Amino acid sequence: MKSDYHFEYTECDVLGSRWRVAVPNKADTCTGLPDPVKGTQCTFSCNSGEFLDMQSQQCQKCAAGTYSLGTGVAFEEWDDLPAGFVTQGMTMYEGNAHVDCSNSTWTPKGDYIASNTDECTAVLFYAVSLKKPGVLAFEYFYPDNNIYFEFFIQNDQCQSTNSESRWMKISDNNWSQHRVELNKGNNVLYWRTTTYALRGSEVKPVLLRNIQISGVAYTSECFHCKPGTHSAEQGSAHCSPCPADTFSNKGATVCHECEKDKYAEAGSGSCKPRPACTNSDYFYTHTPCDSEGKTQLMYKWIEPKICSETVEGAVKLPASGEKQTCPPCNPGFFVSNSTCEPCTNGSFSNGTVCTKCPVGTEPVVGFEYKWWNNMPTNMKSSMFHQKFSDSDRNTAWEVAGEYIYTTPGNQDTDFLMLTLSVPGYRLPQSAVKDSERSELSRITFVFETKCSADCRLYFLAGYNQWNNDVVEHWTGSNRKQSYSYVIQSNNTVGFTWTFQRTQELNVEKKFSADVAKIYSISITNVIRGVASQCRRCPLMSVKAGSACVPCPPGHYMVNGSGECQSCPPNTFIRADQPVGKAACIQCGPNTKTNKAHTACLNDCTLAVQTSGGSLQRYDFSPLANVTGFHSSPRFTIKGLRYFQRFNVGLCGTESRIPASCVDNVTQSGREVRGYVCQSTVVPSDIRSQSVVSSQPFLIGDSLIGVTTKTTLGSVSSPDSLFPAASGLPDVIFYYKSSDTTQACKKGRSATIRLRCNPSVTAKDHITLPSNCSEGTCDGCTFHFLWQSQHACPLCTRNHYREIVSACIQGIQRTTYVWQQPLQCYGGESLPAQKVSTCVTLDFWLKFGVSTGIVAAVLLISISCYFWKKTRKLQYKYSKLMMSSGGKECELPAVDSCAIMEGEDAEDDLMDLTKKSFFTKIKSFSRERTSDGFDSVPLKSSSSWQLQEEEDTDEA
């Protein structure tokens, strides 16, 4: 029987031929099968709306209720993963192989398939073999630039699509279409997503639907229309969705209307009972002003209307038509035929009548919306449904006179969006624009949220037509408040306010009363903007009879008179207030104003007076180039490793290169520039990149001072964050940023401590506080410690001492060494060693010994001389005693007892009484008599004779 088997084609041979064979439906059926027959050529295919009947090998039209792509396949139902599709989760980050990503896959959601939203990489792929070149087309919704989304194809040689063309563009608030040509042969299609949101922010998944592939050889059957669609005729290439309040089953040829007490959204497969109408099912708005200056208050049901007014407990629509006085036009507009028209160029208004700017003034252009009678022409309201129905509804935000507010949605998870578009920005002619001024424009709005759940209001800024980034968001109820955002680039031309009542799924109109209100929106310096006031030109412009020109650099304009006066020395002009003396802002310590007087700079040099009265000079020029560093690694719940990357441009002149941080997750390539910036980086091999950088923001775009004090203005750098080991004070650079956030209402700030460490030769040794691993403890003020030898004061004569060597062989050396511990670098170098002549110790020793010897010889000679004199005197004395005749106490009369000149001391030698040498000296030293002769004791002759007798007896 024919039901026991089916036909298939064999593989094509080298000639492109094949055979049709019968294949049993049951494995044990082996007899009674038709013989193989020659099949169609491998390139044969049917047209769309047709299928190949394998029995006759002829193309036939699809029946009603079915469809066919002919040479293609389509995937429109995603209740389950269609056959042939494979999805898996993996990690693409270096060093994170232990991360479990098995559950991070693409998930079918009925009408579409959704990507993952965690930090893993989800891959969806499908392999298809084409017998001829074909086309792939699919729809996607890619709303969140915290996800990197790429699509690429691999061929038979495993060659992938060029990396630049892989990058999918951000969706513009709706489904986007992508179409790519496929080559003949095997093609593997890859959809890959990776999330980079690491700060706890909610991430919206990437969605896919309606994947169609053409170029396959044939299709042997037609596909039934899915529920909610139908095809009424034979040979349909696709099925049409059922309109609202109708439904259809699978394979339907017509759509059936719902009963009166039921409803159905477009493309529904069934009807639902209509709920009772509540106050959340209608909204109020105002009609345009009439000729009498009146507007009517109107109440309208939210379309499409799904509630019933006849059900018990249902509310009725309030009566419309109440007349109210029209609010005035917004500043810069005037009333014309009951409508508001913009004033012409060179005029201004307060919302009533346009007035030409007086001579010597210029209009301050921009947009200011504070009255909401009509939706401005450059603003658009739209709603995006979580279930992504195709209903076109634009009543997400409605004007209400004094404010614009969010209307109830079909679902509490709907995104209610209000978009403002501007053509670009241009500074006034009297303003100065240079590289140091970051404020090109400023947007300010006043808002309020009232919520009973976890509602969220997002403010997004668009950096090009494909991308917008969340600048700030608010959760829950928020009192009436103002928020400002500084615009730094002409690419920021779109702004979006998005309100979502809850993120809880499967909740229908439980929080419809939650509302967001915007009271006013103003944006400055807009091209083709309108003016609410005129600003006086400087007098020099009036005299020249030309358009306004700015005051000379360093001058401000006096209020009322237009006269330009010079600011005090070393001041800069405020960008947002160039009028009045208050516009002159004094530069901080150790900074100087630039040539245009728009900012203060430091040329990387510094002089500090120490407590001892000496002057220490610093030169930080080697540290002036942009330096990058990162925090210690951090990990998400899944174990993803990421870093906080900081880039710093410490100091420099006007020609310096500022630090920059970029976002390379999406095609926008958003970049911020300043002194200090931060981004989040994740090691990755996506697109062959070593790291992926996201979420860049400025920490400091202006230098406010350089000092050794720990506080400057409202910014502090406590010593406890970086305890110092030496007594040398740290030099601290203070920075401020003009970007404000909900958490940092006064903007962010940063301090960089430069600490002298001669042992550190690297120029990027920057650390973060140990108790604040991300560089900040409060999220607003960041602190860094930069240790380097280049952070030391310049060396002077006070930093070294001299050492004098001993005199060796008549040479003496003087060597200079640094004082320890060394706390200087650069500056004066150590003097070269000095060599000088000297007199050595050996010379003086020899001289002393020689002198001593000479003195000793002389002393001995003198002693000998006087000794001989003494002997002669004794000899004369003894002769005198002998001549006395031995009579005691009687001396002969002599002419003299002294030794006369010419007497020979060697005559008549005789033995004297034995005396020692010292006794003789003693006797010699006796006093002389008054007549000049030596006094000599005389002995009697008897004594002498007795002495001689004693000598004889001894002999």
Side-chain angles (χ1 to χ4, degrees), residues 881-941:
M881 291 299 297
M882 292 177 59
S883 62
S884 64
K887 296 181 180 178
E888 294 184 6
C889 301
E890 185 178 348
L891 292 175
V894 295
D895 296 334
S896 173
C897 290
I899 300 175
M900 296 303 177
E901 185 176 357
E903 292 184 335
D904 190 356
E906 303 296 332
D907 296 341
D908 302 324
L909 293 175
M910 57 179 301
D911 292 328
L912 301 176
T913 304
K914 293 182 179 179
K915 298 182 179 178
S916 67
F917 175 76
F918 293 103
T919 305
K920 295 175 181 179
I921 293 299
K922 183 176 180 182
S923 63
F924 170 74
S925 63
R926 288 177 180 167
E927 262 186 48
R928 290 176 176 264
T929 59
S930 60
D931 56 1
F933 294 99
D934 292 333
S935 176
V936 179
L938 301 178
K939 293 185 179 179
S940 62
S941 58

Side-chain angles (χ1 to χ4, degrees), residues 503-799:
Q503 296 180 345
E504 184 180 352
L505 299 177
N506 301 321
V507 175
E508 295 187 9
K509 307 188 72 171
K510 181 179 179 181
F511 307 108
S512 297
D514 294 357
V515 64
K517 298 180 180 180
I518 297 179
Y519 292 90
S520 65
I521 301 175
S522 65
I523 183 169
T524 62
N525 302 332
V526 179
I527 296 176
R528 298 193 296 272
V530 295
S532 60
Q533 61 179 331
C534 295
R535 176 167 47 203
R536 180 171 290 278
C537 296
L539 289 178
M540 55 185 302
S541 304
V542 178
K543 293 178 181 178
S546 61
C548 282
V549 297
C551 286
H555 291 69
Y556 67 94
M557 189 166 59
V558 179
N559 285 319
S561 67
E563 179 184 359
C564 291
Q565 289 191 3
S566 175
C567 283
N570 202 33
T571 58
F572 68 96
I573 306 296
R574 288 179 55 179
D576 58 341
Q577 185 180 343
V579 180
K581 193 172 184 180
C584 303
I585 307 300
Q586 186 69 38
C587 287
N590 298 301
T591 62
K592 294 182 180 179
T593 182
N594 60 358
K595 294 180 179 179
H597 290 262
T598 56
C600 296
L601 307 174
N602 178 274
D603 61 356
C604 300
T605 61
L606 181 67
V608 177
Q609 192 81 22
T610 64
S611 57
S614 60
L615 193 65
Q616 288 183 334
R617 298 186 181 277
Y618 295 82
D619 183 7
F620 305 121
S621 299
L623 307 179
N625 294 332
V626 175
T627 303
F629 60 99
H630 55 74
S631 66
S632 57
R634 300 180 67 83
F635 298 89
T636 63
I637 297 176
K638 281 186 171 289
L640 169 65
R641 180 168 57 100
Y642 68 95
F643 304 87
Q644 302 300 342
R645 174 75 179 184
F646 300 93
N647 288 331
V648 173
L650 183 68
C651 53
T653 60
E654 296 179 69
S655 60
R656 77 185 191 283
I657 299 177
S660 63
C661 297
V662 299
D663 181 350
N664 62 3
V665 174
T666 58
Q667 196 178 17
S668 68
R670 183 166 68 95
E671 181 180 20
V672 296
R673 289 175 172 266
Y675 280 100
V676 187
C677 63
Q678 177 190 320
S679 60
T680 301
V681 297
V682 180
S684 173
D685 62 357
I686 294 290
R687 300 194 310 274
S688 299
Q689 296 180 151
S690 59
V691 295
V692 174
S693 175
S694 65
Q695 303 171 351
F697 62 87
L698 273 175
I699 299 176
D701 56 13
S702 61
L703 177 63
I704 61 175
V706 183
T707 179
T708 56
K709 297 181 179 179
T710 58
T711 301
L712 182 61
S714 60
V715 185
S716 296
S717 176
D719 291 328
S720 58
L721 293 177
F722 304 103
S726 65
L728 192 66
D730 296 333
V731 176
I732 307 176
F733 281 71
Y734 290 86
Y735 305 93
K736 286 278 291 182
S737 171
S738 56
D739 288 347
T740 59
T741 64
Q742 183 181 4
C744 307
K745 299 186 182 301
K746 295 183 179 180
R748 299 183 180 94
S749 58
T751 66
I752 300 180
R753 281 178 172 259
L754 296 181
R755 177 168 295 173
C756 173
N757 192 337
S759 63
V760 178
T761 59
K763 297 182 180 180
D764 59 349
H765 187 67
I766 305 177
T767 56
L768 306 175
S770 58
N771 57 336
C772 304
S773 58
E774 294 189 353
T776 177
C777 299
D778 59 3
C780 298
T781 303
F782 292 74
H783 305 279
F784 311 101
L785 174 64
W786 196 340
Q787 298 185 70
S788 172
Q789 60 186 6
H790 301 290
C792 298
L794 298 177
C795 295
T796 63
R797 293 178 59 87
N798 297 328
H799 290 97

Side-chain angles (χ1 to χ4, degrees), residues 353-369:
V353 179
C354 293
T355 305
K356 199 74 174 177
C357 285
V359 175
T361 63
E362 64 173 344
V364 181
V365 298
F367 287 118
E368 184 178 359
Y369 304 110

Side-chain angles (χ1 to χ4, degrees), residues 105-279:
T105 60
W106 290 76
T107 306
K109 296 289 187 180
D111 293 334
Y112 56 87
I113 185 171
S115 73
N116 66 321
T117 56
D118 57 18
E119 57 268 25
C120 293
T121 297
V123 181
L124 175 70
F125 57 91
Y126 178 77
V128 60
S129 178
L130 302 186
K131 303 305 179 182
K132 62 180 181 180
V135 174
L136 166 69
F138 62 88
E139 296 180 358
Y140 70 92
F141 182 65
Y142 179 21
D144 198 328
N145 59 8
N146 285 315
I147 294 182
Y148 168 69
F149 177 37
E150 61 178 346
F151 168 76
F152 59 96
I153 304 170
Q154 284 188 346
N155 57 19
D156 289 331
Q157 290 75 36
C158 293
Q159 295 174 337
S160 300
T161 308
N162 184 280
S163 60
E164 293 298 327
S165 60
R166 295 182 178 190
W167 212 332
M168 303 302 291
K169 296 180 179 180
I170 292 288
S171 301
D172 188 16
N173 297 331
N174 211 331
W175 287 94
S176 302
Q177 293 186 346
H178 188 71
R179 182 183 176 91
V180 61
E181 295 183 356
L182 301 178
N183 296 325
K184 178 182 177 180
N186 293 325
N187 294 267
V188 183
L189 316 178
Y190 288 88
W191 293 267
R192 185 164 67 179
T193 59
T194 307
T195 303
Y196 294 98
L198 305 174
R199 297 181 178 275
S201 58
E202 296 293 335
V203 178
K204 303 180 184 67
V206 176
L207 309 179
L208 290 177
R209 71 178 184 183
N210 295 341
I211 299 177
Q212 299 181 358
I213 305 172
S214 65
V216 296
Y218 67 94
T219 177
S220 60
E221 61 179 344
C222 296
F223 301 97
H224 290 284
C225 294
K226 67 178 182 179
T229 63
H230 73 288
S231 63
E233 299 178 357
Q234 292 183 344
S236 296
H238 64 275
C239 299
S240 302
C242 292
D245 293 332
T246 64
F247 74 99
S248 69
N249 297 318
K250 185 175 183 179
T253 57
V254 295
C255 296
H256 305 283
E257 291 189 1
C258 295
E259 299 177 6
K260 291 185 178 181
D261 59 345
K262 293 184 179 181
Y263 77 99
E265 297 177 354
S268 296
S270 62
C271 297
K272 300 178 182 180
R274 292 183 181 272
C277 292
T278 65
N279 293 331

Side-chain angles (χ1 to χ4, degrees), residues 45-57:
S45 61
C46 297
N47 296 322
S48 58
E50 298 178 342
F51 71 100
L52 180 63
D53 181 16
M54 295 296 291
Q55 179 70 36
S56 63
Q57 298 193 67

